[in-house]
PDB file of all heavy atoms in Angstrom:
ATOM      1  N   SER A1147      40.673-108.030  25.961  1.00 41.00           N
ATOM      2  CA  SER A1147      39.597-107.100  26.306  1.00 41.00           C
ATOM      3  C   SER A1147      38.348-107.454  25.528  1.00 41.00           C
ATOM      4  O   SER A1147      38.406-107.536  24.305  1.00 41.00           O
ATOM      5  CB  SER A1147      39.997-105.672  25.934  1.00 41.00           C
ATOM      6  OG  SER A1147      41.118-105.282  26.662  1.00 41.00           O
ATOM      7  N   ASN A1154      29.929-109.400  31.944  1.00 41.00           N
ATOM      8  CA  ASN A1154      29.900-108.790  33.272  1.00 41.00           C
ATOM      9  C   ASN A1154      30.744-109.592  34.248  1.00 41.00           C
ATOM     10  O   ASN A1154      30.810-109.276  35.421  1.00 41.00           O
ATOM     11  CB  ASN A1154      28.459-108.705  33.794  1.00 41.00           C
ATOM     12  CG  ASN A1154      27.715-107.568  33.153  1.00 41.00           C
ATOM     13  OD1 ASN A1154      28.335-106.614  32.674  1.00 41.00           O
ATOM     14  ND2 ASN A1154      26.403-107.657  33.125  1.00 41.00           N
ATOM     15  N   TYR A1176      45.375-100.168  31.713  1.00 96.00           N
ATOM     16  CA  TYR A1176      44.307-100.146  32.709  1.00 96.00           C
ATOM     17  C   TYR A1176      42.891-100.053  32.164  1.00 96.00           C
ATOM     18  O   TYR A1176      41.982-100.694  32.672  1.00 96.00           O
ATOM     19  CB  TYR A1176      44.574 -98.953  33.629  1.00 96.00           C
ATOM     20  CG  TYR A1176      43.668 -98.811  34.823  1.00 96.00           C
ATOM     21  CD1 TYR A1176      43.725 -99.715  35.886  1.00 96.00           C
ATOM     22  CD2 TYR A1176      42.786 -97.752  34.913  1.00 96.00           C
ATOM     23  CE1 TYR A1176      42.916 -99.559  36.999  1.00 96.00           C
ATOM     24  CE2 TYR A1176      41.975 -97.597  36.033  1.00 96.00           C
ATOM     25  CZ  TYR A1176      42.045 -98.502  37.072  1.00 96.00           C
ATOM     26  OH  TYR A1176      41.249 -98.340  38.169  1.00 96.00           O
ATOM     27  N   ASP A1185      41.931 -91.098  22.008  1.00 97.00           N
ATOM     28  CA  ASP A1185      41.526 -90.328  20.835  1.00 97.00           C
ATOM     29  C   ASP A1185      40.811 -89.036  21.275  1.00 97.00           C
ATOM     30  O   ASP A1185      41.094 -87.949  20.781  1.00 97.00           O
ATOM     31  CB  ASP A1185      40.616 -91.181  19.950  1.00 97.00           C
ATOM     32  CG  ASP A1185      40.243 -90.476  18.660  1.00 97.00           C
ATOM     33  OD1 ASP A1185      41.167 -90.025  17.950  1.00 97.00           O
ATOM     34  OD2 ASP A1185      39.044 -90.378  18.363  1.00 97.00           O
ATOM     35  N   GLY A1189      42.698 -85.290  21.145  1.00 95.00           N
ATOM     36  CA  GLY A1189      42.022 -84.325  20.288  1.00 95.00           C
ATOM     37  C   GLY A1189      41.918 -82.956  20.940  1.00 95.00           C
ATOM     38  O   GLY A1189      41.892 -81.932  20.259  1.00 95.00           O
ATOM     39  N   LEU A1223      42.155 -78.832  33.313  1.00 97.00           N
ATOM     40  CA  LEU A1223      41.912 -80.231  33.639  1.00 97.00           C
ATOM     41  C   LEU A1223      41.090 -80.769  32.477  1.00 97.00           C
ATOM     42  O   LEU A1223      40.108 -80.145  32.072  1.00 97.00           O
ATOM     43  CB  LEU A1223      41.109 -80.378  34.926  1.00 97.00           C
ATOM     44  CG  LEU A1223      41.794 -79.915  36.205  1.00 97.00           C
ATOM     45  CD1 LEU A1223      40.785 -79.852  37.337  1.00 97.00           C
ATOM     46  CD2 LEU A1223      42.946 -80.845  36.563  1.00 97.00           C
ATOM     47  N   SER A1240      26.541-100.867  23.694  1.00 90.00           N
ATOM     48  CA  SER A1240      26.741 -99.420  23.549  1.00 90.00           C
ATOM     49  C   SER A1240      27.445 -98.846  24.773  1.00 90.00           C
ATOM     50  O   SER A1240      27.296 -99.359  25.884  1.00 90.00           O
ATOM     51  CB  SER A1240      25.404 -98.699  23.396  1.00 90.00           C
ATOM     52  OG  SER A1240      24.724 -99.146  22.256  1.00 90.00           O
ATOM     53  N   LEU A1302      22.869 -72.996  47.096  1.00 62.00           N
ATOM     54  CA  LEU A1302      23.922 -72.864  46.100  1.00 62.00           C
ATOM     55  C   LEU A1302      25.022 -73.860  46.447  1.00 62.00           C
ATOM     56  O   LEU A1302      25.595 -73.792  47.543  1.00 62.00           O
ATOM     57  CB  LEU A1302      24.463 -71.425  46.150  1.00 62.00           C
ATOM     58  CG  LEU A1302      25.332 -70.988  45.003  1.00 62.00           C
ATOM     59  CD1 LEU A1302      24.514 -70.928  43.719  1.00 62.00           C
ATOM     60  CD2 LEU A1302      25.913 -69.615  45.305  1.00 62.00           C
ATOM     61  N   PHE A1309      37.992 -87.755  43.877  1.00 96.00           N
ATOM     62  CA  PHE A1309      38.748 -88.949  43.493  1.00 96.00           C
ATOM     63  C   PHE A1309      39.189 -89.670  44.761  1.00 96.00           C
ATOM     64  O   PHE A1309      39.497 -89.030  45.756  1.00 96.00           O
ATOM     65  CB  PHE A1309      39.995 -88.564  42.681  1.00 96.00           C
ATOM     66  CG  PHE A1309      39.712 -87.556  41.601  1.00 96.00           C
ATOM     67  CD1 PHE A1309      39.976 -86.216  41.796  1.00 96.00           C
ATOM     68  CD2 PHE A1309      39.151 -87.957  40.396  1.00 96.00           C
ATOM     69  CE1 PHE A1309      39.691 -85.283  40.807  1.00 96.00           C
ATOM     70  CE2 PHE A1309      38.863 -87.030  39.409  1.00 96.00           C
ATOM     71  CZ  PHE A1309      39.138 -85.688  39.613  1.00 96.00           C
ATOM     72  N   GLU A1326      50.195 -87.526  44.249  1.00 97.00           N
ATOM     73  CA  GLU A1326      51.062 -86.716  43.377  1.00 97.00           C
ATOM     74  C   GLU A1326      50.200 -85.807  42.487  1.00 97.00           C
ATOM     75  O   GLU A1326      50.489 -84.619  42.323  1.00 97.00           O
ATOM     76  CB  GLU A1326      51.922 -87.645  42.508  1.00 97.00           C
ATOM     77  CG  GLU A1326      52.763 -86.949  41.469  1.00 97.00           C
ATOM     78  CD  GLU A1326      53.300 -87.910  40.398  1.00 97.00           C
ATOM     79  OE1 GLU A1326      53.239 -89.135  40.589  1.00 97.00           O
ATOM     80  OE2 GLU A1326      53.752 -87.408  39.357  1.00 97.00           O
TER      81      GLU A1326
END
Side-chain angles (χ1 to χ4, degrees):
S1147 298
N1154 283 337
Y1176 186 69
D1185 184 53
L1223 294 168
S1240 299
L1302 193 67
F1309 314 99
E1326 174 195 346

